[in-house]
Amino acid sequence: MRWDPSEPHLPNVVPEPFASMYPPKSIPPWPSFGDALAGKPYIQAQQRRTWKVDDWKWEQWAPIVGRYLGEITLLDHEIGRILALLDELKLADNTLVIYSTDHGDMCGAHGMIDKHFIMYDDVTRVPMMMRYPGELPAGKTCDAFVSHAIDIASTICSAAGITPPSTFAGKNLFDIVNGADAKPREDIFSAWHGGQFSSFTQRMVRNREWKYVWNASAEDELYHMTDDPAELTNRATDTACKAVLSRMRKRLVAWMLETNDVVLNEWTRSSLEDNTKI
């Protein structure tokens, strides 16, 4: 069974008591809220203007964030009802439950909204919870790199006793959670192919320390995730990071080759490998 609610997507119309659970005055600004977007792709500032939020103060964002948090709490409440029903029907012990989402929402982070033209962790790093008695230990947490777009499919095959098709590239999440993954990922990738506002194209590679974003038609981005988790300072033009930038670009090229990425051609590849990309 698949439960696919549209929430917590905009416009966040939330019923009580969830609508009032998070009073705006009690919500502090996100760590990235004051981002001036200096040295970052022009499209980010343009997106603020497109959404008409470019001059918003936190007092205007806080009510939206409150409703967003309330809607997430509503979803948590509803998933609780589903789990309770599985217990009541005595189906919990042989039912794999996976609770996650396809992406996050900026919701005021970096002064932006929605998900377009950015690879900030607010959008690309999403939570996932699983329950499967007998296969997964209750209460265990895991911070491994997971690509749930491909890993969930492989995991469901495993739970059903089916050998995944040879075309499946995902990992079995049971192995990852239980520490049986023979070759844990050292990095993770994301891709954006444009949306209703433009055909802006970007790719991302992230490891524990660094995140690199290749923007096909704008400035590239490089963030030191351990020192700058809010991703405020773009280090792509920092000469001290030249070796890191080169290494991350080559890693991204390897992934794009592996996935037969159509935007990797002789020109885009050479600009990445030769570090001639701005």
Side-chain angles (χ1 to χ4, degrees):
M1 181 187 76
R2 179 183 178 186
W3 178 50
D4 189 18
S6 60
E7 297 85 9
H9 209 286
L10 299 168
N12 300 124
V13 179
V14 191
E16 294 291 357
F18 304 97
S20 302
M21 276 187 176
Y22 302 92
K25 290 185 178 180
S26 70
I27 303 172
W30 303 123
S32 66
F33 180 68
D35 192 352
L37 304 181
K40 297 188 177 184
Y42 73 95
I43 196 70
Q44 295 187 24
Q46 178 57 52
Q47 186 65 357
R48 285 180 178 176
R49 294 190 291 269
T50 299
W51 280 107
K52 297 180 174 56
V53 296
D54 52 308
D55 60 348
W56 276 26
K57 308 301 182 185
W58 185 249
E59 289 73 20
Q60 292 164 282
W61 278 109
I64 294 175
V65 176
R67 291 196 300 272
Y68 183 76
L69 297 175
E71 196 155 39
I72 291 174
T73 304
L74 169 60
L75 288 172
D76 289 345
H77 173 76
E78 296 303 317
I79 194 67
R81 293 178 61 199
I82 293 173
L83 296 178
L85 181 60
L86 290 174
D87 290 337
E88 181 182 333
L89 297 175
K90 302 187 185 308
L91 295 174
D93 287 345
N94 62 354
T95 300
L96 167 63
V97 178
I98 301 175
Y99 184 32
S100 190
T101 184
D102 55 345
H103 59 77
D105 191 293
M106 298 303 287
C107 201
H110 299 271
M112 301 177 71
I113 203 166
D114 214 345
K115 59 185 183 292
H116 302 280
F117 315 121
I118 39 83
M119 289 288 183
Y120 294 123
D121 267 14
D122 308 84
V123 167
T124 61
R125 187 179 183 181
V126 298
M128 180 169 64
M129 292 175 278
M130 299 190 295
R131 187 182 79 169
Y132 198 23
E135 290 286 346
L136 297 171
K140 184 172 183 178
T141 60
C142 177
D143 67 347
F145 283 124
V146 169
S147 183
H148 66 334
I150 58 176
D151 291 345
I152 287 177
S154 295
T155 304
I156 290 175
C157 285
S158 175
I162 300 171
T163 300
S166 60
T167 54
F168 277 30
K171 290 175 173 284
N172 184 347
L173 292 171
F174 297 160
D175 291 340
I176 293 177
V177 174
N178 292 322
D181 184 10
K183 192 176 180 181
R185 292 185 178 101
E186 296 181 358
D187 46 30
I188 200 72
F189 303 87
S190 290
W192 172 253
H193 304 278
Q196 65 264 44
F197 300 105
S198 84
S199 57
F200 190 85
T201 297
Q202 56 186 170
R203 305 289 185 270
M204 180 206 83
V205 55
R206 184 202 197 284
N207 58 34
R208 299 291 179 185
E209 186 175 8
W210 294 95
K211 175 188 288 186
Y212 167 65
V213 183
W214 173 67
N215 296 302
S217 56
E219 303 93 328
D220 283 358
E221 299 165 81
L222 182 69
Y223 301 106
H224 192 228
M225 301 305 296
T226 50
D227 290 348
D228 180 26
E231 300 171 85
L232 291 170
T233 305
N234 182 9
R235 306 279 301 275
T237 59
D238 185 343
T239 56
C241 299
K242 187 175 180 179
V244 172
L245 183 64
S246 177
R247 185 170 66 250
M248 298 294 280
R249 281 174 166 166
K250 289 176 180 177
R251 182 68 185 103
L252 185 66
V253 167
W255 176 73
M256 294 172 77
L257 285 169
E258 180 184 340
T259 56
N260 298 312
D261 197 317
V262 296
V263 298
L264 188 69
N265 53 49
E266 60 181 300
W267 298 283
T268 55
R269 180 176 179 178
S270 65
S271 70
L272 287 167
E273 293 180 329
D274 299 341
N275 280 311
T276 56
K277 176 69 171 68
I278 296 174

